[in-house]
Amino acid sequence: MALTVEQAKTWLEDFYTEIEAQKQYLSDLDTPIGDGDHGNNMARGMTAVHEDISDADFASVSDLFKKVAMDLISKVGGASGPLYGTAFLEMSKTAAGSTELKDLVSAALAGIEKRGKATTNEKTMIDVWSPMAEKLNSDEAVSEADIDQFVESTKDMVATKGRASYLGERSVGHIDPGAMSSGYLLKALVKVGA
Amino acid sequence: MKKIINDPGNVVPEMVQGLVRSNSDIVELIPNTEAVVRADKESMKGKVGIVSGGGSGHEPTHAGFVGKGMLSAAVCGEVFTSPTPDQIFEAIKASNTGSGVFLVIKNYSGDVMNFEMAQDMAEMEDIPVKSVVVDDDIAVENSTYTQGRRGVAGTLFMHKILGAAADLGASLDDLEALSKQVLPNIKTIAVALSGATVPEVGKPGFTLADDEIEYGVGIHGEPGYRREKLQPSKALVEELVGKLKAEFNFKPGEKYAVIVNGMGATPLMEQYIFMNDVLDKLADEKLEVVFTKVGNLMTSLDMAGISLSLFKIEDDRMVDGLKHEVKTIAW
């Protein structure tokens, strides 16, 4: 269950492809409850990641994640840039010691919680990362369908953090766009089969 | 939309270029960023750096307040969008002369996250960094881009006081303590006559009828607390000072500094009329005004409107800080 550099690259390339395919949908999800740019912002960041990693060699998963973090930090902007950037920076730190999925995902989750000052049930990407980390830490297998369900769960939540919180009750019925993009990222990770 | 621009997607770099090229004795561009640093490097030696920034569209904030006695560097994000951590980090590095760097952040979720991330990056490179998050807008508790209160024109008091203290050799810890002393004593409230048009959006963020105003609007056009028919300046002052009075709990004899700030499309003539009424009202309240400033200081693109910031002076050294000499583009 330890991630290799090659697997990590495949994971990120798959995520890049998925973001490119879904960027309009992500921005559409962001329109009623945010400012409608989540898909384009993520696509800008992942395009930079793709360009920087596709032909490059990395000595370790830690080095690769550090590069990804810096690209996301400098290219995505808004709140998603620091949140995803922090996730990869924390995974980079952890990967120096362990590339076990449960350790990586737990580190990313802790980073996102700290940066966003948020917790579960607030209709954010944490509602996808947290149950994922929980399952991995209890050594349960996580399927793509499980992740779909984590994403779907944000639909009925009331936003209390982030842009959507301004809408309060009116945010109910919408999937959180950050949860959706996190769902794509974690599904791509599961697919790699590390 | 009627604006003197070339490409809506390129307004920030072109604006920063123009600002730097017309003020090369005061600021210079930090390479590969949209951030500016003091040209007078001698003035930064041995001093704690003060860095601020945020979305663009609020000019002259923040780049106009870079210079000896005030900010060391300012980071210009996209219009109404937080700058990214890598750019803030470059500004931190350019401002650090070995004594550390103090960040002044306006309370918007994006700004707070991006500045905190830059702070983490600086700490990884052993640059000591501390920060304050300014939340002076008393209009509403939570807003479109904000948890808690928004950070608006009262932030300029923070820039001025910390900049003066740093210029006089205050340490990073001193500045942190000073920022905590200033923060609860600065409060701002605004009134808007029209919305602002972000170049890439092309239409105003909100619209008001010809005879309508909105109290409590934020500097990105975030909703305020009430709309009503346009009133004379004296009545607007009555409303806005009334809100501030309730927050500060005015007591006769207290000292205040006052900033009247134009939002971009309100003529100075109107700002002076408004200030005249503010000073009358504060005199009625038996308050002593020890410092005043009027002008387009923290604008909101082409929004018409005005904000009123008060700073309660509990320590006369604050007045010295406000009057401390600076060399900036806009103070």
Side-chain angles (χ1 to χ4, degrees):
Chain A
M1 290 285 275
L3 199 68
T4 65
V5 174
E6 272 318 302
Q7 285 171 321
K9 276 178 82 166
T10 307
W11 170 32
L12 292 159
E13 291 287 359
D14 285 354
F15 180 53
Y16 158 70
T17 309
E18 188 67 8
I19 287 287
E20 276 299 310
Q22 304 292 351
K23 67 180 172 191
Q24 190 56 50
Y25 175 59
L26 283 175
S27 286
D28 289 347
L29 284 179
D30 194 28
T31 301
I33 60 174
D35 57 355
D37 58 3
H38 186 60
N40 291 328
N41 289 346
M42 289 304 293
R44 194 167 56 241
M46 286 313 296
T47 300
V49 169
H50 165 69
E51 284 166 3
D52 281 340
I53 71 168
S54 54
D55 296 322
D57 290 322
F58 292 90
S60 66
V61 173
S62 179
D63 287 354
L64 171 63
F65 285 170
K66 192 170 181 189
K67 182 80 207 160
V68 172
M70 290 306 159
D71 280 340
L72 296 176
I73 287 165
S74 60
K75 293 292 191 303
V76 176
S80 303
L83 290 168
Y84 278 107
T86 301
F88 276 93
L89 213 53
E90 293 301 322
M91 285 196 284
S92 170
K93 285 186 205 163
T94 297
S98 158
T99 62
E100 291 289 331
L101 288 199
K102 62 179 177 189
D103 296 333
L104 294 176
V105 170
S106 300
L109 170 64
I112 293 167
E113 285 176 333
K114 175 188 143 212
R115 183 70 58 213
K117 300 183 179 76
T119 180
T120 47
N121 282 316
E122 293 181 325
K123 198 181 182 87
T124 71
M125 59 172 72
I126 291 170
D127 294 308
V128 177
W129 286 89
S130 180
M132 175 86 177
E134 212 170 287
K135 272 190 174 276
L136 290 173
N137 281 319
S138 43
D139 293 316
E140 285 178 53
V142 185
S143 67
E144 291 185 52
D146 290 334
I147 297 171
D148 283 336
Q149 195 213 317
F150 303 155
V151 173
E152 196 64 25
S153 76
T154 65
K155 199 168 181 173
D156 297 327
M157 294 178 187
V158 177
T160 56
K161 283 281 153 61
R163 255 323 219 286
S165 64
Y166 179 63
L167 294 169
E169 295 288 342
R170 280 179 290 159
S171 65
V172 172
H174 298 282
I175 289 174
D176 179 68
M180 189 75 243
S181 60
S182 289
Y184 295 145
L185 180 65
L186 295 177
K187 276 162 73 174
L189 179 60
V190 167
K191 251 192 277 188
V192 167
Chain B
M1 178 174 68
K2 206 180 201 180
K3 288 183 189 289
I4 303 170
I5 57 172
N6 298 304
D7 169 3
N10 207 37
V11 291
V12 174
E14 291 181 32
M15 178 267 293
V16 173
Q17 286 287 343
L19 177 121
V20 169
R21 294 172 74 188
S22 51
N23 295 283
S24 58
D25 57 329
I26 303 176
V27 293
E28 56 189 49
L29 193 64
I30 301 174
N32 305 316
T33 69
E34 309 303 341
V36 302
V37 63
R38 272 187 220 176
D40 178 2
K41 298 290 186 291
E42 200 57 39
S43 72
M44 292 162 62
K45 274 193 185 152
K47 313 280 171 65
V48 175
I50 311 278
V51 173
S52 193
S56 291
H58 307 303
E59 294 68 31
T61 291
H62 296 273
F65 303 113
V66 172
K68 180 175 162 54
M70 217 162 162
L71 302 180
S72 309
V75 198
C76 310
E78 285 301 312
V79 177
F80 292 180
T81 302
S82 169
T84 53
D86 54 312
Q87 300 235 343
I88 302 165
F89 181 41
E90 290 302 319
I92 291 172
K93 283 194 284 187
S95 305
N96 179 39
T97 61
S99 305
V101 174
F102 195 85
L103 307 178
V104 181
I105 309 164
K106 299 197 302 304
N107 191 32
Y108 298 97
S109 307
D111 283 2
V112 171
M113 273 190 228
N114 283 287
F115 274 81
E116 284 184 353
M117 176 118 218
Q119 185 165 350
D120 286 355
M121 290 162 84
E123 281 161 1
M124 277 164 79
E125 301 220 351
D126 296 323
I127 302 174
V129 176
K130 290 184 183 284
S131 60
V132 64
V133 177
V134 181
D135 56 351
D136 57 310
D137 190 340
I138 63 169
V140 292
E141 287 306 321
N142 293 301
S143 191
T144 320
Y145 314 107
T146 317
Q147 307 291 329
R149 290 177 168 187
R150 303 175 295 226
V152 292
T155 307
L156 302 178
F157 285 128
M158 188 67 84
H159 288 348
K160 189 67 185 69
I161 294 292
L162 296 181
D167 199 35
L168 295 171
S171 70
L172 196 53
D173 287 338
D174 293 342
L175 291 173
E176 187 183 40
L178 187 59
S179 73
K180 286 184 178 156
Q181 212 183 326
V182 171
L183 190 61
N185 288 326
I186 51 179
K187 299 188 191 301
T188 299
I189 185 89
V191 60
L193 278 60
S194 74
T197 299
V198 173
E200 283 198 293
V201 177
K203 54 182 196 319
F206 67 95
T207 50
L208 291 168
D210 271 354
D211 60 347
E212 195 181 29
I213 58 167
E214 181 166 342
Y215 294 113
V217 169
I219 58 172
H220 312 96
E222 302 96 316
Y225 63 87
R226 191 170 85 236
R227 287 186 179 190
E228 64 181 35
K229 295 278 185 206
L230 178 63
Q231 307 287 327
S233 170
K234 281 185 201 305
L236 298 180
V237 166
E238 196 69 34
E239 169 73 23
L240 298 186
V241 172
K243 287 277 173 193
L244 290 162
K245 179 181 180 175
E247 283 285 323
F248 278 115
N249 194 13
F250 291 162
K251 291 182 189 63
E254 284 177 340
K255 296 178 184 176
Y256 283 85
V258 183
I259 289 178
V260 165
N261 171 55
M263 303 305 291
T266 289
L268 271 172
M269 174 189 270
E270 296 171 29
Q271 296 177 35
Y272 284 123
I273 291 169
F274 181 86
M275 177 60 110
N276 190 45
D277 293 327
V278 168
L279 294 175
D280 282 348
K281 181 69 190 164
L282 296 181
D284 288 350
E285 295 285 343
K286 307 214 167 7
L287 303 177
E288 184 185 346
V289 174
V290 292
F291 177 89
T292 50
K293 196 158 190 72
V294 177
N296 298 309
L297 300 166
M298 186 179 288
T299 59
S300 181
L301 294 169
D302 53 351
M303 184 188 288
I306 230 163
S307 71
L308 172 62
S309 300
L310 294 185
F311 173 20
K312 182 157 87 173
I313 307 289
E314 294 179 320
D315 177 341
D316 283 337
R317 284 174 299 179
M318 297 289 181
V319 183
D320 298 337
L322 290 172
K323 293 183 175 169
H324 185 81
E325 194 185 337
V326 299
K327 190 183 179 197
T328 64
I329 298 168
W331 181 254

